[in-house]
Amino acid sequence: MAPDPTSTPGSVRIGNASGFYGDRLTAVHEMLDGGQLDYLTGDYLAELTMLILGKDRMKDPSRGYAKTFLRQMETSLGLAVEKGVQVVVNAGGLNPHGLAVALRELAQQLGVDAHIAFVNGDDLAPRAAELGLGTPITANAYLGGFGIKAALDRGADVVVTGRVTDASLTVGAAAAAFGWGYDDLDAIAGAVVAGHVIECGTQATGGNYSFFSEIPMDRPLGFPIAEVASDGSSIITKHDDTGGAVSVGTVTAQLLYEVQGPRYYNPDATALLDTIALAQAGPDRVAITGVRGEAPPKDLKVSLNHLAGVRNEVDVVITGLDVEAKAALFQNQFEAALPSRPAELTWELSRLDRADADTQEQASAVLRCVARDPDPKVVGRPFSATAVELALASFPGFTMTSPPGNGAPYGVFEPGYVDAGLVEHRVNQPDGVSVLIEPSPLRTEPGRDHSVPDSGPVDDWGPTRRAPLGEIVGARSGDKGGSANIGVWTKGRAEFTWLDQILTVDNLKELLPEVADLTVHRYRLPQMNALNFVIEGVLGRGVAENVRFDPQAKGLGEWLRSRVVDIPEQFAR
């Protein structure tokens, strides 16, 4: 294969073709067909995905993996082998062995000589009680990249894993390419950062980007590529003639996604995010340099999902005048008529209505009632049928958004931790040999990040104007279990200095009243002109359990950007 003329000499090109289970189905073929790659990764797992796969496995023990990857390989396995691109994905979910068997059968059907390996040992559910993790339906340790490295070193064409960290897909590929060992901490940390940038697919090329109007969005966005060098530095780019863009801004936004403090813990190294230097290195090319690494923590994080009960909801539309009074009437009638009161009953009135509206929809609000209980009978059809029985006996204009239903099981996510030495990280090679991967001998008690104090006195920035914060500030937010983060950044240094002074924890709570009573941590990443806020408990017990309007906090940053503040006039729009 002819080398890509734009790639960095001595680097390997690691592409990504999936940011979640359900991402663009054609992306694998597009990435293989669109230009040179050495490795192609795909991230299919998230906290919620593990719960979904857990429910699948409870119904059928042969399931538990991302079936869409198998569909993608029907059209792409032969192309990957032909081009010499080694594929690394975590699509194995809870059953990497099952996916590997299915891939081998597929290769035989296609007549493709493909060597398939799988990494497992992350599934701790059978040992959860003895490890002090309770009795969850799923318990998966986040493994590192050296099992992937071992499989690639042995010549695997496809490596499927269970729950590795998202960045470990890139770490394993780069470690195999350059022969890194556990003591190459800075290089591994650089690959962790590169992996974090590309793990969410098109979020690195303009997807979910605050300044989206600056991005070419007239065609499907290209998926990202990390050109990783032997020292761990990288260039983030994409195939030519694909939509979207790669800029310092798009890369910064993704670097701030779902992180906490400056230390980004991974099983093979802890990357120090406050050492990252970003620079535009050409059209759709951003250089990441200077990343430093520390020893990894001695414990592995464990994703735990518990079935907590059944959830049901009723959504009632309230139109026109006296919205608050109508809502109070229905709530009182409904609770009095319930045959059994659920363990949890939550009411939320969304005032989407406006006065003297031109359309009925614009004149309407939605009253939502969510019930949760361990007993499905309490929150099943009798619960939702109670609302229907009030249809002719409550407020004027009563209507519902959906018919009564039986509700559905819901789960609760929580993190756990277990000593890495107690986890059997194994790689099962294409020749059937199973190899135990020893954890890093460097692992230690992790350094702890501390929420930084506010920056002190505010400078005189001259005349100001009232405008949305988002005119000059970008944001990216996301869920971390029951918590959420909001990363904010500016394009210029002066704007960051101003933002650092005015966006205190207290000011954030004023701008976002919903978090006023919660614990908020503030971290500084000045080399990226960025701040990161971590809001504890805003998502309850995780995305599968909470009933917040935005259960994964994806829009939390955009809400912050919409708030009006005093912006110095010197920062022209």
Side-chain angles (χ1 to χ4, degrees):
M1 185 183 302
D4 188 312
T6 65
S7 63
T8 305
S11 64
V12 291
R13 284 169 61 91
I14 304 172
N16 175 277
S18 177
F20 66 101
Y21 190 10
D23 211 341
R24 197 161 82 221
L25 198 63
T26 58
V28 169
H29 195 277
E30 291 168 9
M31 288 296 285
L32 290 170
D33 194 47
Q36 184 207 357
L37 293 175
D38 298 294
Y39 303 93
L40 181 63
T41 65
D43 178 17
Y44 294 77
L45 302 183
E47 293 163 358
L48 180 60
T49 313
M50 301 304 284
L51 177 62
I52 293 170
L53 295 177
K55 292 178 181 178
D56 285 348
R57 188 173 63 173
M58 290 174 68
K59 298 174 185 175
D60 182 349
S62 69
R63 294 164 66 178
Y65 57 79
K67 297 183 290 294
T68 52
F69 176 68
L70 200 59
R71 291 175 57 195
Q72 290 170 313
M73 286 294 97
E74 291 175 4
T75 57
S76 299
L77 181 58
L79 183 60
V81 172
E82 176 189 335
K83 290 199 165 189
V85 178
Q86 292 175 284
V87 178
V88 182
V89 296
N90 61 14
L94 300 176
N95 189 8
H97 182 203
L99 179 54
V101 170
L103 283 168
R104 288 167 184 159
E105 293 173 351
L106 175 64
Q108 188 173 18
Q109 293 169 11
L110 296 174
V112 176
D113 183 17
H115 303 286
I116 313 296
F118 68 94
V119 175
N120 64 356
D122 60 295
D123 191 350
L124 304 181
R127 303 166 52 206
E130 70 177 80
L131 294 171
L133 301 173
T135 55
I137 63 167
T138 69
N140 295 82
Y142 288 80
L143 302 179
F146 276 77
I148 295 168
K149 175 184 183 298
L152 295 172
D153 287 345
R154 191 69 71 93
D157 296 302
V158 181
V159 184
V160 297
T161 77
R163 181 72 275 189
V164 298
T165 73
D166 301 343
S168 289
L169 303 172
T170 297
V171 170
F178 299 115
W180 293 339
Y182 283 122
D183 56 345
D184 292 307
L185 291 176
D186 289 345
I188 293 171
V192 166
V193 170
H196 177 52
V197 172
I198 69 172
E199 73 189 35
C200 288
T202 52
Q203 279 196 170
T205 61
N208 297 341
Y209 184 55
S210 290
F211 305 109
F212 65 91
S213 61
E214 303 174 0
I215 304 294
M217 305 285 278
D218 55 335
R219 52 183 167 165
L221 303 189
F223 277 71
I225 300 166
E227 296 176 358
V228 182
S230 59
D231 64 354
S233 61
S234 62
I235 297 280
I236 306 301
T237 186
K238 64 184 183 68
H239 284 321
D240 292 338
D241 300 321
T242 58
V246 180
S247 67
V248 169
T250 67
V251 172
T252 298
Q254 177 54 27
L255 282 171
L256 294 172
Y257 183 59
E258 293 183 344
V259 297
Q260 296 182 318
R263 285 181 170 86
Y264 192 55
Y265 303 111
N266 264 254
D268 303 317
T270 296
L272 304 181
L273 301 183
D274 55 359
T275 64
I276 295 172
L278 302 177
Q280 198 73 40
D284 294 322
R285 295 178 64 79
V286 171
I288 303 177
T289 57
V291 183
R292 301 296 304 274
E294 292 180 341
K298 69 179 185 64
D299 290 342
L300 297 180
K301 184 179 178 181
V302 183
S303 171
L304 302 171
N305 281 290
H306 304 264
L307 282 181
V310 175
R311 179 171 64 191
N312 205 348
E313 72 176 71
V314 169
D315 292 332
V316 178
V317 179
I318 303 174
T319 303
L321 304 176
D322 306 316
V323 169
E324 301 281 348
K326 290 173 180 175
L329 171 61
F330 177 77
Q331 180 174 344
N332 291 334
Q333 290 178 307
F334 182 77
E335 292 190 9
L338 280 172
S340 300
R341 186 175 180 87
E344 297 180 55
L345 202 61
T346 304
W347 292 89
E348 183 177 354
L349 178 61
S350 297
R351 295 298 304 266
L352 308 175
D353 56 301
R354 65 187 69 174
D356 194 22
D358 293 330
T359 68
Q360 182 177 335
E361 185 174 5
Q362 292 175 350
S364 300
V366 176
L367 177 63
R368 184 185 192 202
C369 179
V370 178
R372 289 175 288 205
D373 198 279
D375 185 350
K377 296 178 181 178
V378 174
V379 292
R381 187 169 292 270
F383 165 81
S384 52
T386 300
V388 177
E389 292 169 1
L390 291 169
L392 304 181
S394 190
F395 60 85
F398 179 101
T399 187
M400 297 173 60
T401 62
S402 60
N406 292 320
Y410 73 95
V412 172
F413 167 84
E414 64 177 351
Y417 296 90
V418 64
D419 189 295
L422 299 177
V423 177
E424 286 200 357
H425 180 179
R426 286 193 172 274
V427 56
N428 298 269
Q429 304 285 19
D431 56 10
V433 176
S434 178
V435 178
L436 180 66
I437 304 298
E438 296 291 341
S440 170
L442 305 176
R443 56 198 177 97
T444 185
E445 288 292 337
R448 297 297 179 188
D449 294 319
H450 299 285
S451 182
V452 296
D454 300 329
S455 60
V458 177
D459 294 336
D460 181 3
W461 292 91
T464 62
R465 58 189 173 86
R466 298 288 289 172
L469 183 64
E471 280 197 5
I472 63 169
V473 174
R476 174 67 59 79
S477 58
D479 58 308
K480 294 296 290 181
S483 300
N485 89 300
I486 307 176
V488 293
W489 81 96
T490 64
K491 297 179 180 180
R493 192 64 182 177
E495 290 90 338
F496 171 71
T497 302
W498 167 79
L499 182 70
D500 190 23
Q501 291 180 0
I502 68 101
L503 195 54
T504 64
V505 169
D506 287 342
N507 194 7
L508 181 85
K509 290 184 174 184
E510 285 184 25
L511 294 172
L512 306 181
E514 286 183 16
V515 310
D517 296 329
L518 301 177
T519 298
V520 177
H521 304 279
R522 179 182 188 268
Y523 302 101
R524 299 178 73 249
L525 298 167
Q527 288 207 165
M528 291 192 287
N529 293 333
L531 301 172
N532 191 46
F533 295 88
V534 178
I535 305 166
E536 291 187 9
V538 67
L539 302 180
R541 293 183 290 174
V543 58
E545 185 267 353
N546 88 85
V547 295
R548 192 177 179 275
F549 173 72
D550 175 17
Q552 292 181 285
K554 302 300 186 185
L556 200 57
E558 288 302 297
W559 178 27
L560 176 63
R561 293 183 67 241
S562 74
R563 300 294 281 166
V564 174
V565 299
D566 293 317
I567 294 179
E569 289 184 355
Q570 62 178 283
F571 303 141
R573 182 171 183 173

